Amino acid sequence: MKVFCLTFVTLFLAELGDKTQLSVILLTSKTKSAVWVFAGAATALVLVTLLGVLFGDVLLRYVPEKILKKVAALAFVTIGVLIFFNKM
């Protein structure tokens, strides 16, 4: 249950105000189909999360966790710098 709660809070906070949420707001206002936009977005997020979990599980079998954390941190910093300089 601890892992569930940690995952929920982490993803919930990470998704607030991101481009996915903004896209859903725009789609809802454009289509006036809140239920179908919600269903499509929820299904997409579930499938993307499933792919991440499956890929992460396989990756952890071959790459040590310490290395994965460093690579992920480097990727986030790189993306942040690119966004900061309007290159992404």
Side-chain angles (χ1 to χ4, degrees):
M1 194 62 179
K2 181 180 177 182
V3 173
F4 172 84
C5 290
L6 178 63
T7 303
F8 176 84
V9 169
T10 302
L11 288 177
F12 184 83
L13 293 175
E15 292 297 323
L16 283 177
D18 79 337
K19 64 186 181 289
T20 304
Q21 188 178 29
L22 297 175
S23 298
V24 168
I25 291 168
L26 292 173
L27 280 170
T28 302
S29 66
K30 183 178 179 181
T31 64
K32 308 286 192 251
S33 290
V35 171
W36 289 111
V37 171
F38 172 77
T43 303
L45 288 172
V46 166
L47 290 176
V48 165
T49 302
L50 175 64
L51 289 174
V53 168
L54 294 175
F55 182 70
D57 186 49
V58 170
L59 201 57
L60 276 172
R61 294 180 191 175
Y62 301 102
V63 181
E65 184 180 352
K66 273 186 168 182
I67 292 174
L68 284 179
K69 283 183 178 181
K70 288 181 181 182
V71 169
L74 184 60
F76 275 106
V77 169
T78 301
I79 291 168
V81 169
L82 290 173
I83 290 171
F84 183 79
F85 289 108
N86 293 321
K87 300 294 182 185
M88 190 172 193

